[in-house]
Each structure stands twice: as C-alpha cells, then as structure tokens.
Amino acid sequence: MDGSGGIAAKTIQALMASERVRFVSAHPDAAARAGNGLPGFYQGVPMHWMRDWPMPFPMLVTSAQGATLTDSDGHVLADFCLGDTGSMFGHSPEPVRQALMAQAGRGLTYMLPTDDALAVGALLRGRFGLPHWQVATTATDANRFALRVARAVTGRGRILVFNGCYHGAVDETFVRLIDGAPVNRPGLLGQFTDLTERTRVVEFNDLPALEAALSDRTVACVITEPVLTNCCMVLPDPRFHEALRRLTRETGTLLLIDETHTISTGPGGYTRAYGLEPDMFVLGKPVAGGVAASVWGFTDEVARRLDAVRAVTPSGHSGMGTTLSANALALACMRATLEQVMTDAAYAHMEALAGHLATGLSGVIDRLGLPWHVVRVGARVEFICAPGPLRNGTEAEAAHARPLEQAIHLALLNRGVLIAPFHNMMLVCPATTGEQVDRLITAFAEVAGILAQGKTP
C-alpha cells in the first residue's frame, strides 16, 4: 500500500482544487465571518483539531437535529459524522432534550447523587453486566481512572495496548510500533517521559506476541477496543477475543474493554453481542446523548481487591475524580439515553440502514474496480482506500491515504453529506433516513467515478 489509494496524485490534486473553489463559492457567510479564523481562538478555532476538516475555512453550524445539520449559509447536510460518535444516537434526541430542560431548572451539579443516579446504576448493571460503576466526564478520564485502579489492585506498574489503538487522551496509551520497535506516538506535544518504559505494545490479532508480552506477569492491565476503530478499522480474527481473555486470566492480568466507539454494535455494545468477559468496561461520548459524560464499571473481584487496597492506603487524593464528574445534568441525560434512546428498536433501525450503506458503497467500489474495501461494526461503517481486510495497526496506518481522503471528504460535503474528518468513518443513527443513506451512496459514486478516471496501473 503506497498511501495513494491507487489514484494518480494529479487526479487527487485536481479534485481537491475544484472542490475548494466550490466550497468557497457556496459559503459566503462563513467566508465573511470565519474566512480568517474565529477571532480570539488559537489557529482560529475553539479546539485545534477543528482544523483537521479539509475545508478552506470553518463552516459555522447554526443547528443540528436528528441526522441533519444546518450551517450559516443555509446548507442542510445529511450528517454521518454525528460529532464523531458524541451524537451517535442523533443530535438532541427528544428524551434527552426534555431531561436537560427539566434538570436545568433544578440545578446542574451538587457533588451529591439524585433519583436519576438510582436509576442509572441499575440500568448500567442490567445493560452491561458488571456490578460496580463510576461516572466520569470523558472516556479519557474513565480510562485513566480504571488503569489507576488496575495498577493499584494488581501491584503491577505496566499496561499493554495494541498498536493503533484509540483511548482518548490517556498518556499511557500513546505508544506505537514503528518498524517493529515501540516508540512514543509521533506528534505528542510536551511529552517529558518515555511511555515505552511502562507500556507494552503489540499488534492487534498477534497472539504469540501478546502471550510473550504478558508472560513475565508484570502487566497490570490490557486495555483494548474490541475492534480497532481510529486507524482504518481492523476487525478481530476469529477467536482472538477468546484467546485474549484466556491469556489475561492465566497471567493475572486485568482486561479493560473500551467501547466508546464500538457501542455502535448493539444495546450492550460489542461486549454483550459477542459474549466478552472484561474485568473493567468503559463507555464515553454518546452515553448521555451528547452531554459530556462517561462510565466505567468493574467486577465484584476488582471491587473486593480495591476495597482491600483502600483499607491500607492513607486518606488523601486518589488521583481520580474531577468536580463535575457525575453531575446531576449528566445523570439526567444518561438516564434518558439509556432508557429511551439506546433501545433495541433504535439499534435495529441503525443496523439495517448501516448494512444498506455498506452494501451500496461496496457496490460502487466493485463497479469502478477500485482497490478499496468497506468494513462495518453495527452502525459504524468505513470505506478504506486500500485492499483489505486489514489485520493490525501497522497495516491500518499504511492504508491511510490522507490527501485522497481529504479530497473525498470535501467533495462529499459539497454534495450535501458530512462524514468524520479524521478517517472515512460514517455513523447511522436512529434518525437517519433511507433517503440520506441513498444520498451518501450517490455522492460517493459520483466522487469515486471522478477519481477512478485517474487510477494508476
């Protein structure tokens, strides 16, 4: 894989140039007010990664509802990005909107539990199967806290990640394999420690490497997504998860499953759909319908060991918390999401339309003879501009074709469809319609047809 997706560079450049002109022409209001960036913000955006969109300048969102987003120039877009999973169940689901409005009149945060907390605890137990839960503000926080507990209860200092993994902004997970050697992930700012001293990294689906890395019994926890989702999607080999669970148990290593992205699989995530048995479980982003919140849970055995550690630990700051964690607003919205939004019916709708989307995109790729493929995990679909399937993070990194992907993303946006900016990920939500899916397939076919004219031999 050469990172070009089999398309000549001049074809990619020509498409990007024409689509930039088209975007500028279609966005006079955004050009006038944000053409040089938003005043007062570093690099002209409230969060630096907003510059990762391939737009010449930021478009300004005026509203979003369900699976539709409207910008300040009046464009109504079919939204398959959905806040890159934060709004995975649609923008402002009605039950969440009502819960938010009701709670706003009763106070937003107290550092004390509410009636909603009573309901949420039971909902989390019933849905995900683990008996003990805590609430945090982001999945990054939840993963950090869970890893701290894992080290405390095992008395071990190391963790293990899979190359190409995504676990938010957790420092310990920013380790990659380059030419087979572990290194701090390239691009980190202000990194002052060598993360490879305490974090081991092996390739996803490489069971011999995993067994070797765990064999000295110094690893406290393996933290993993069930599917690699942020580096060109990589599915697990058959029986990979079964072997992962066996090896972690044999070596006294805890297993943390992070379902922040793979909750797209079903109401109980990939864990319930495929019968996984984690010691710890994390879910962030969409669990409160777009309001900042996350949860992390663990087994009775982890709770017993945590109690024993805390009993002999001096009182003081645990290194876990944040004042706004488990605030009343988040719990109210989480309850509404779990009870009324993340339903079996919603997932059935998402599954059916995501299947239609994946089939449609695959049909276009096959018809045009492009060396690309499509992969899906429930309501999460991705087209990858390289042959597949991919088996690990190194293959996924090599499959990235950034200039090509950026040109495709901007071309789709100009045709009324928004997908995630970081890779070719698309989400189907309960509000997504068949017409929107067909619009995406049609737009993709038009853009891919243009590119196919510049296929390399």
Side-chain angles (χ1 to χ4, degrees):
M1 292 176 281
D2 61 5
S4 70
I7 307 298
K10 64 180 181 180
T11 301
I12 298 170
Q13 293 163 2
L15 177 63
M16 178 57 99
S18 66
E19 295 301 331
R20 286 175 67 90
V21 170
R22 181 171 174 173
F23 179 90
V24 171
S25 175
H27 292 83
D29 178 77
R33 296 197 290 145
N36 294 317
L38 282 66
F41 293 107
Y42 172 67
Q43 292 195 334
V45 285
M47 186 64 186
H48 65 85
W49 46 247
M50 291 181 179
R51 280 293 186 186
D52 288 344
W53 293 93
M55 310 164 196
F57 48 81
M59 70 179 194
L60 301 174
V61 178
T62 57
S63 66
Q65 185 65 50
T68 299
L69 183 148
T70 303
D71 72 9
S72 65
D73 284 287
H75 302 290
V76 179
L77 305 174
D79 187 2
F80 290 87
C81 174
L82 296 172
D84 195 3
T85 308
S87 294
M88 195 185 97
F89 300 104
H91 296 290
S92 297
E94 183 60 21
V96 175
R97 188 186 73 84
Q98 291 181 10
L100 191 154
M101 292 176 63
Q103 188 60 49
R106 298 192 293 262
L108 304 179
T109 186
Y110 325 131
M111 289 183 69
L112 290 166
T114 62
D115 285 345
D116 290 323
L118 283 169
V120 168
L123 288 164
L124 293 171
R125 281 184 167 189
R127 184 177 290 253
F128 302 115
L130 293 172
H132 303 278
W133 292 89
Q134 292 281 271
V135 178
T137 306
T138 67
T140 292
D141 283 343
N143 279 318
R144 284 179 49 238
F145 303 159
L147 290 176
R148 185 175 285 272
V149 167
R151 290 191 294 265
V153 303
T154 62
R156 301 175 179 181
R158 292 187 173 91
I159 69 162
L160 183 143
V161 300
F162 292 106
N163 190 37
C165 67
Y166 172 76
H167 301 293
V170 178
D171 279 4
E172 300 99 307
T173 68
F174 287 146
V175 175
R176 292 292 182 267
L177 286 174
I178 296 183
D179 296 327
V183 299
N184 287 0
R185 180 174 177 171
L188 294 179
L189 294 175
Q191 186 60 45
F192 64 94
T193 59
D194 182 359
L195 300 172
T196 64
E197 293 181 357
R198 289 293 178 175
T199 300
R200 290 180 176 168
V201 54
V202 300
E203 293 287 11
F204 197 69
N205 286 320
D206 188 342
L207 291 174
L210 174 64
E211 184 172 14
L214 297 180
S215 62
D216 66 0
R217 298 174 180 260
T218 64
V219 174
C221 183
V222 172
I223 175 173
T224 186
E225 308 165 84
V227 173
L228 293 187
T229 61
N230 216 45
C231 62
C232 292
M233 202 184 302
V234 178
L235 299 177
D237 286 345
R239 308 186 78 83
F240 170 74
H241 280 291
E242 178 183 336
L244 169 61
R245 181 67 282 194
R246 175 180 56 79
L247 289 170
T248 50
R249 283 180 171 148
E250 288 176 354
T251 57
T253 306
L254 298 181
L255 176 61
L256 191 164
I257 298 291
D258 179 357
E259 291 251 26
T260 296
H261 282 172
T262 54
I263 193 65
S264 60
T265 310
Y270 198 99
T271 294
R272 193 170 91 185
Y274 290 90
L276 307 188
E277 298 178 353
D279 300 294
M280 311 178 90
F281 179 102
V282 164
L283 172 60
K285 290 183 183 177
V287 71
V291 172
S294 66
V295 295
W296 55 290
F298 44 92
T299 62
D300 283 329
E301 175 61 15
V302 171
R304 182 191 65 76
R305 295 167 69 180
L306 180 58
D307 287 344
V309 169
R310 294 186 69 193
V312 297
T313 301
S315 61
H317 200 293
S318 66
M320 303 184 294
T322 74
T323 307
L324 292 179
S325 294
N327 66 74
L329 180 66
L331 283 161
C333 294
M334 198 183 307
R335 178 180 184 178
T337 302
L338 291 167
E339 286 184 339
Q340 301 178 64
V341 178
M342 293 173 63
T343 64
D344 290 346
Y347 271 100
H349 173 86
M350 294 155 66
E351 176 79 16
L353 282 186
H356 175 52
L357 174 59
T359 299
L361 297 178
S362 295
V364 170
I365 290 168
D366 291 345
R367 185 168 66 252
L368 295 174
L370 292 167
W372 304 354
H373 72 287
V374 175
V375 63
R376 179 169 77 92
V377 177
R380 179 179 294 269
V381 180
E382 186 175 353
F383 64 87
I384 297 172
C385 300
L390 307 174
R391 291 199 65 249
N392 58 49
T394 295
E395 290 184 6
E397 182 65 26
H400 269 302
R402 186 161 177 78
L404 172 60
E405 292 165 3
Q406 288 190 316
I408 294 172
H409 295 178
L410 184 57
L412 292 176
L413 172 62
N414 284 335
R415 288 158 179 78
V417 176
L418 188 71
I419 71 172
F422 305 113
H423 43 111
N424 307 319
M425 192 275 297
M426 299 150 284
L427 284 167
V428 172
C429 77
T432 303
T433 66
E435 185 277 330
Q436 288 176 314
V437 171
D438 288 339
R439 189 193 314 179
L440 173 51
I441 295 170
T442 299
F444 179 79
E446 180 183 342
V447 175
I450 296 170
L451 291 166
Q453 297 174 25
K455 283 192 296 184
T456 57

